[in-house]
Amino acid sequence: MRYELFSLVFTLMLAALLSSCGGGGGGDVLPIYGIPGGGGSSGLDALDPSIDVPPAENFVDYSVPTDSVYVKWAKNLYATLPAPEGPARVFQNASLMRVAEQIFAGVNAERAKHGLSTLKWEPHLEMIAQAHARDMGLRNFFSHITPEGLDTQARLTAVDAPMAHGYGENAAKGQESATEVVSQWMDSTKHRANILDADAVYMGIGAFIDPTDLQTPTSFILLNATFYIDPATHDWLEPAEVE
């Protein structure tokens, strides 16, 4: 199966956040593996059979010229997610929600093997992760940075996230199952470092399928963070509040 992986390791101190500066982060890109000849399956046909392939979607730009890049992203990707209180939360269907839950559980299982604490599910991190996984699928790119230039920190800023002193993001594209995603992340130094970050507390997972992509239809995002306050007490920007 052809696949791609990308990892961002990025630790922010309070001063960096206040000044809106970047920071040291870097990407770790694994090779793209070609599909061997001889009748092997690929793409949608090779997906875990428990995954229900959703209908195709198209990217729609709901922004106006005066919108900032933050507002554009919030209007086009964050506010257009399925309702988080729905049966599949923010995912395309229940099977993809289960894939995200399996990745979440797999990450915590790897942490447990190394004596690390279990990461807590955070619904807003899930929404941010799913919005970016969906963006990569709909607009056919593979990066921590959107075509407009928004990186992970900018996406947190776009939804009024609480002050964080550290976060990490892993991305993957083309994997066939939750097990494959976690195992390939663990086989890569920087992906593994994000998963085994001893300071991380919260996590959200994104999982998206573009059925029109015949080679690498899946996109996955892991986003973890450590906040200075309990994120459940913070007034995040909710999708329904985006204007």
Side-chain angles (χ1 to χ4, degrees), residues 17-241:
L17 277 167
L18 291 175
S19 63
S20 297
C21 292
D28 184 19
V29 185
L30 268 64
I32 298 172
Y33 285 78
I35 302 165
S41 62
S42 65
L44 295 175
D45 292 338
L47 289 177
D48 183 321
S50 70
I51 297 174
D52 297 325
V53 177
E57 298 180 44
N58 294 311
F59 176 80
V60 179
D61 187 352
Y62 295 100
S63 66
V64 298
T66 55
D67 287 337
S68 69
V69 290
Y70 298 92
V71 173
K72 287 178 184 286
W73 180 84
K75 282 185 176 181
N76 296 334
L77 282 313
Y78 185 67
T80 56
L81 289 169
E85 66 271 17
R89 295 205 299 265
V90 297
F91 301 94
Q92 292 159 289
N93 58 42
S95 72
L96 283 163
M97 180 182 69
R98 289 193 294 270
V99 169
E101 292 174 340
Q102 290 164 2
I103 294 172
F104 194 101
V107 167
N108 275 326
E110 293 295 340
R111 290 176 63 86
K113 291 177 186 177
H114 292 81
L116 298 172
S117 61
T118 298
L119 294 179
K120 302 174 184 178
W121 173 74
E122 209 301 309
H124 295 90
L125 292 182
E126 177 178 271
M127 286 190 280
I128 298 166
Q130 180 63 10
H132 191 55
R134 180 170 176 253
D135 195 10
M136 290 196 301
L138 291 182
R139 293 201 283 175
N140 193 31
F141 72 94
F142 183 56
S143 173
H144 294 288
I145 301 174
T146 71
E148 295 78 25
L150 266 67
D151 60 13
T152 313
Q153 179 189 349
R155 292 189 289 277
L156 288 164
T157 300
V159 299
D160 297 337
M163 197 73 74
H165 59 80
Y167 64 81
E169 183 176 88
N170 284 357
K173 188 169 179 63
Q175 286 72 20
E176 299 164 358
S177 67
T179 300
E180 190 173 48
V181 175
V182 175
S183 66
Q184 290 176 7
W185 277 340
M186 287 300 292
D187 285 341
S188 170
T189 301
K190 291 185 179 180
H191 300 84
R192 180 186 179 92
N194 276 345
I195 288 174
L196 301 182
D197 180 357
D199 295 325
V201 177
Y202 301 97
M203 179 171 60
I205 300 292
F208 183 83
I209 287 181
D210 172 16
T212 69
D213 184 341
L214 302 182
Q215 292 292 316
T216 55
T218 56
S219 296
F220 302 99
I221 292 289
L222 175 157
L223 178 59
N224 61 33
T226 308
F227 299 108
Y228 285 100
I229 64 170
D230 181 350
T233 66
H234 180 73
D235 186 19
W236 298 73
L237 177 68
E238 303 294 340
E241 299 171 341

